[in-house]
Amino acid sequence: MDNVAEKEEGKGEPCPRVDTTVRGEQPPAFFPQPGDELPTQPEKSMDPIGPWATGRVTYTPQGGLTGVRPVVDRYSVTNSGGAQWRAHNKMFFDESNENIQVAQLAISNAKRCIERTYREADKTQLESTEHLKNRANEVYRWKTELEHLISNITREIELLEAERRHVKHSLSVLTVPESIAGDFLQLRSKRLESDLIRDEVEEELTKEVALCSEVRDLFNRTREQIELQLTELKSAKARMEVDWTDKVDAYNIDSHCIKLKNDSPIIMWKPGATRFPAEQSTPSSYEHYTRESLTDGEAAKQRSENLRSTLDSIYKNSIKDLRDQATRVDIVLSKKIRLTEDVRLQLEKELLRCLYELANAEKSIEELRHSTRGLDCAMKVAQTRLADRLEHRRNVESCRDTPQFALMEEVKFLNERTSAVLAELKRAEETQSGLIKARSDLEHEIIVKRKTLYIDKQRGKLLRSFYPATI
């Protein structure tokens, strides 16, 4: 812009102005002379112009006013005098000079206008460039904040994904104590008659199954919360990424516009560039949208951090409850095993004593049987004596003497003693059957206790050994 003004300033006027004013010097002959303004001379005749003139022509200064036409021959028209001719020349010079002055003034004004316009255009362009720089800096600031928050949310999503995997792994590991407790309850349902009771071990195992179910429900709810929080984080991240992409593009466009100059090779006419689209945002709505994106992202990130902080307490409390319940199960199981072993040992001792008494009873029964056979001989002797004395004594000799009464008493005594021995034998035999039944019952009870010990000590302890550790 400045080069054109400099070129125009170097040029002068194309020719000097012709001075038409009358000054001290004599004016040119073709301009009005002194005396031309005097009153008109009397009318005089005009000589013929040439041999071809047709006659005389009279003229006066008022000829043009009165409408009197001059004489016109074939080659000339005579309608004025010399003063009019000189005045006519001056009029044309004055008119030309006036037009030249108007043109020079217009050109001068145009140059000044162009110079002022160029200066104002340069100033406006600098101001627009400064506005573009400020806007680019503002967009860059928002873009940087979005980048920082997007990076934080990305790390938060990774941490929350790890927590979700942790919860899923915990749910899979939780099946181990559930299956251990359930299998143990199923095993203990195979205990035999008298030991098939609802003891402390079964109660604690039932509590353990219920606790595992509660912990599973808690972990499922926690997983759902994590998945909802992940959805919220990803939604906020997607919104900010779209906003960040738009701001990157806007920053690149503004940076490109800042670099554009008047001599840039890529500038061109862009019809319709000055329109205002209806969907354009305002600076206030732009800032509100960006701040809303940042606020929502920060709030989602804070909620995710709070959720992760509660997960640690959930894990610790759940694991503590499970381990405490497992410890209680192990304690009552060990106590039950010790009691069952003590009962089994006492039953085995009682079985030995019962077997010993049964052997003594069998021996006593055998002796009682031999004893009854010995009394049979004495009874036979007494009855034989009585029969012989009753059958062979005759007449007066068949007397109720003392020996007969003695033999009668002996038979009576032997009958009573035999009955007593037989009663004792029967009682001994009944005692023997009772001992046999007691032995059978003791043996069965020992089998029951051994079955219980096998379930609780061998199978149960083996199952409980697979209970997962705290870690």
Side-chain angles (χ1 to χ4, degrees), residues 274-292:
T274 57
R275 70 185 186 280
F276 285 100
E279 67 275 7
Q280 270 190 326
S281 62
T282 61
S284 59
S285 63
Y286 170 85
E287 184 175 357
H288 174 73
Y289 178 81
T290 306
R291 287 190 182 277
E292 187 180 14

Side-chain angles (χ1 to χ4, degrees), residues 153-165:
I153 288 181
T154 302
R155 287 195 297 271
E156 188 63 30
I157 289 175
E158 292 175 355
L159 293 174
L160 209 56
E161 286 284 357
E163 292 295 342
R164 184 176 68 171
R165 291 193 297 269

Side-chain angles (χ1 to χ4, degrees), residues 33-53:
Q33 299 295 317
D36 287 348
E37 68 276 4
L38 296 176
T40 57
Q41 297 296 324
E43 184 180 341
K44 59 180 179 179
S45 61
M46 181 177 179
D47 294 334
I49 297 173
W52 52 83

